[in-house]
Amino acid sequence: MEINLLVFGQLSDITKCSEMKIAHVNDTQQLIIKLTTQFPELALSKYSVAVNRKVVFENTMLTDKDTVALLPPFSGG
Amino acid sequence: MKEKKKHTVLVEGPITAAFIADSIQKHSSKTNIGAHDIFLGQVRNDLISGKTVVAIEYSAYSEMAEEKFHAIREAAFAKYNLVCMHIYHSTGMVKAGEICLFVFVSTKHRKDAFDACREITEQIKALAPVWGKEIFEDETYTWKELNNGN
């Protein structure tokens, strides 16, 4: 079980890369805990989480090859 | 050009005046249109902590952004009496003074054009996963933050 993680905007300054594979996470909460352990600055950042291009507001189960994206506040236009 | 086809909103680099003029010209054959409204977003040379913004580098979650643009478009067609509409948003580097967003709404009468153009523009700002990196003259940068009305 491995998911694809996409990191955008200012969050990619923290993670130092914009795409990575993450193994052994069953849901978005586990993923965030794992990421925050690895990149403590994430805990201080505001962002939403999208699973397969849909923003989720609650802990969401993940399955193999899901794409999870960390989205800081949008600033287009 | 079929107006309701699904096109790509995100375009590389600035949106030129020639492109905008050409888009307007293409509508001369659509004689049921009585009103166009256009919103153009232009990169501003903000002064931030003593440094001047010379460009914004836009990045996007392209697949999600195109889905959002499509949903915004569908909602606008459902709510307003539109003849056609087009949205273009830049990715990559856009210098201060250049155009980064082009919203073009065509209707029979002006009220729908004004109302739809405003709402679509606000929705793009709020819903599209696009980020602007403000580049300063010394090549350092800060990530753009949106405020109401900005």
Side-chain angles (χ1 to χ4, degrees), chain B residues 62-134:
Chain B
S62 302
E63 299 87 347
M64 184 178 167
E66 294 292 354
E67 286 180 5
K68 288 288 177 190
F69 288 128
H70 184 68
I72 290 167
R73 177 184 176 81
E74 293 297 303
F77 269 99
K79 183 170 177 181
Y80 298 101
N81 192 11
L82 305 182
V83 178
C84 59
M85 65 168 283
H86 305 273
I87 310 171
Y88 296 93
H89 194 304
S90 295
T91 57
M93 203 69 88
V94 183
K95 293 179 192 152
E98 293 181 328
I99 302 299
C100 56
L101 174 62
F102 174 27
V103 179
F104 186 8
V105 176
S106 305
T107 62
K108 282 183 182 297
H109 303 287
R110 67 186 180 282
K111 187 171 188 310
D112 272 321
F114 288 142
D115 293 350
C117 190
R118 173 185 285 264
E119 183 168 329
I120 291 161
T121 303
E122 295 298 338
Q123 288 190 334
I124 291 167
K125 297 261 185 182
L127 302 176
V130 178
W131 298 273
K133 186 195 250 186
E134 294 174 309

Side-chain angles (χ1 to χ4, degrees), chain A residues 55-67:
Chain A
V55 174
V56 297
F57 298 96
E58 292 172 349
N59 189 25
T60 301
M61 294 298 291
L62 297 173
T63 56
D64 194 37
K65 296 190 171 55
D66 275 350
T67 296

Side-chain angles (χ1 to χ4, degrees), chain A residues 5 10 35-36 38 48 50 53 67 69 77:
Chain A
L5 179 75
Q10 49 270 55
L35 289 171
T36 309
Q38 193 175 350
S48 52
R53 302 184 302 283
T67 296

